[in-house]
């Protein structure tokens, strides 16, 4: 009786773990599909409709309330140039690629953990690819949006808006380095797993 109880507990824990992994993998895959659908909608909206852009101003603007100013304005441009729309489409695609990439890697890692062998080359390559995508999004999306904003500024012709401005958040660069460390850890785990399989 006492021997069977721990066995049942271990089986129940293993079943719960596998259920959770399956749920996470399914949720990640579903999010990836939804992101692709939303990307298609965003691309269509950028290509065929008026484009709304939030642009920093060259100087604070009076908000009409004492002591309050605006440092950004949202403009809607119906006749944005093809170059501006292309830049926005590229930024949207790049951002969606990161989301889809993360979801696919998470789903694949869940499958590998489910099988008991998470340290495989495909998982390492997947994490490395996500790290590269994070860096590309951190640098590429603000640059592409800056190009689109510059096109909108030229279309509007206002001195209150900058000719070209790119604002880059350094935080994703730090995430890239963190993921690079994870990739190195997976490389070590991969070698240890191969050695263990060789011993067996």
């Amino acid at each position: 009786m006492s021997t069977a109880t721990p066995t049942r507990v271990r089986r129940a824990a293993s079943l719960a773990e596998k259920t959770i992994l399956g749920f996470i993998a399914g949720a990640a895959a579903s999010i990836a599909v939804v992101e692709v659908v939303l990307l298609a909608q965003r691309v269509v909206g950028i290509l065929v409709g008026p484009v709304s852009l939030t642009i920093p101003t060259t100087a604070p603007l009076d908000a009409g309330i004492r002591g309050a100013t605006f440092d950004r304005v949202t403009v809607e441009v119906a006749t944005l140039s093809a170059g501006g729309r292309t830049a926005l489409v590229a930024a949207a695609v790049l951002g969606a690629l990161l989301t889809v990439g993360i979801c696919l890697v998470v789903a694949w890692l869940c499958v590998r953990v489910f099988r008991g062998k998470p340290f495989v080359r495909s998982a390492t390559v997947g994490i490395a690819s996500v790290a590269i995508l994070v860096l590309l999004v951190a640098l590429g999306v603000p640059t592409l949006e800056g190009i689109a904003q510059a096109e909108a500024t030229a279309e509007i012709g206002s001195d209150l808006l900058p000719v070209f401005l790119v604002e880059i958040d350094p935080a994703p660069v730090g995430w890239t380095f963190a993921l690079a460390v994870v990739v190195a850890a997976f490389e070590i785990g991969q070698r240890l797993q191969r050695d263990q399989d060789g011993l067996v």
Side-chain angles (χ1 to χ4, degrees), residues 1 7 10 15 28 66 81 98 114 118 120 138 159 163 166 189 199:
M1 187 74 173
T7 303
R10 283 196 297 271
L15 179 61
R66 186 176 180 181
S81 67
L98 177 59
F114 184 87
V120 293
D159 294 334
V163 176
V166 175
L199 290 174

Side-chain angles (χ1 to χ4, degrees), residues 6-63:
T7 303
R8 265 192 235 106
V9 171
R10 283 196 297 271
R11 287 179 179 174
S14 177
L15 179 61
E17 180 183 289
K18 291 179 178 180
T19 302
I20 292 171
L21 287 172
F23 175 78
I24 294 173
S30 300
I31 292 171
V33 172
V34 170
E35 180 62 25
V36 171
V37 174
L38 293 176
L39 172 63
Q41 294 177 348
R42 287 196 294 269
V43 169
V44 171
I46 291 169
L47 293 177
V48 302
V51 177
S52 180
L53 295 169
T54 301
I55 307 176
T57 59
T58 54
L61 302 178
D62 186 10

Side-chain angles (χ1 to χ4, degrees), residues 125-153:
V125 171
I127 297 172
S129 300
V130 168
I132 294 171
L133 278 173
V134 168
L135 186 60
L136 287 176
V137 168
L139 301 177
V141 170
T143 302
L144 292 167
E145 289 179 346
I147 293 172
Q149 290 172 2
E151 293 287 339
T153 300

Side-chain angles (χ1 to χ4, degrees), residues 18 20-26 29 103-120 122-123:
K18 291 179 178 180
I20 292 171
L21 287 172
F23 175 78
I24 294 173
C103 289
L104 292 180
V105 169
V106 168
W108 181 239
L109 285 174
C110 287
V111 172
R112 297 310 310 177
V113 173
F114 184 87
R115 294 181 178 179
K117 290 187 176 182
F119 299 110
V120 293
S122 57

Side-chain angles (χ1 to χ4, degrees), residues 168-184:
I168 294 178
D169 183 3
V173 179
W175 301 340
T176 301
F177 293 143
L179 286 171
V181 174
V182 175
V183 170

